[in-house]
Amino acid sequence: MKTSALVLIFLTVATFAFGQEMVNVTVDVEGMLNRKGDLSITVYNNPDDYLKNPVKHLTVELGEYDGSTFEITDLPKGKYAIVVLHDENRNGELDFGGMGPVEGYGFSNNPDSMFGPAKYEEALLLIEKDSNIIIRLN
């Protein structure tokens, strides 16, 4: 009896620890003005880590890829905010000029972000299955 209970507990814990279902998110990026540099796609799942520590990061060299659709693979089901940056000069950050950003950027849910980055809650998506989303660059 004790052995059966231990096996049942182990299987329950293993299901939660190892059996988390993974999903893929296809991101269609609209508004790229050119094919210079890289496109950076970062995924966040915690408001405290938002714009600091992504759970997933993808960088695509645009000169070698002529599409506008990108796939984030093997993401556990959950809530995420996705940020896209067209890093034309490959310096790893959003560059600014006298009138604001000079490189394209966007957030999941396409919230208005003219005066700073979108809030985590504005960009938050619930992803429970393979999904397709569109992110428009500003």
Side-chain angles (χ1 to χ4, degrees), residues 49-70:
D49 290 333
Y50 183 53
L51 303 179
K52 298 176 212 152
N53 297 312
V55 295
K56 195 136 193 157
H57 179 84
L58 172 68
T59 300
V60 178
E61 193 172 323
L62 291 174
E64 296 179 5
Y65 180 74
D66 63 357
S68 62
T69 301
F70 307 89

Side-chain angles (χ1 to χ4, degrees), residues 11 13 18 21 35 37-38 40-41 49 56 64 77 86 90-91 94 101-102 105 109 113 126-127 134:
L11 290 175
V13 170
F18 303 108
E21 191 173 338
R35 306 302 298 180
D38 297 331
S40 172
I41 301 173
D49 290 333
K56 195 136 193 157
E64 296 179 5
K77 288 181 177 182
H86 182 184
R90 293 188 173 123
N91 69 351
L94 180 62
V102 295
Y105 65 95
N109 290 329
S113 57
L126 176 61
I127 302 173
I134 295 172

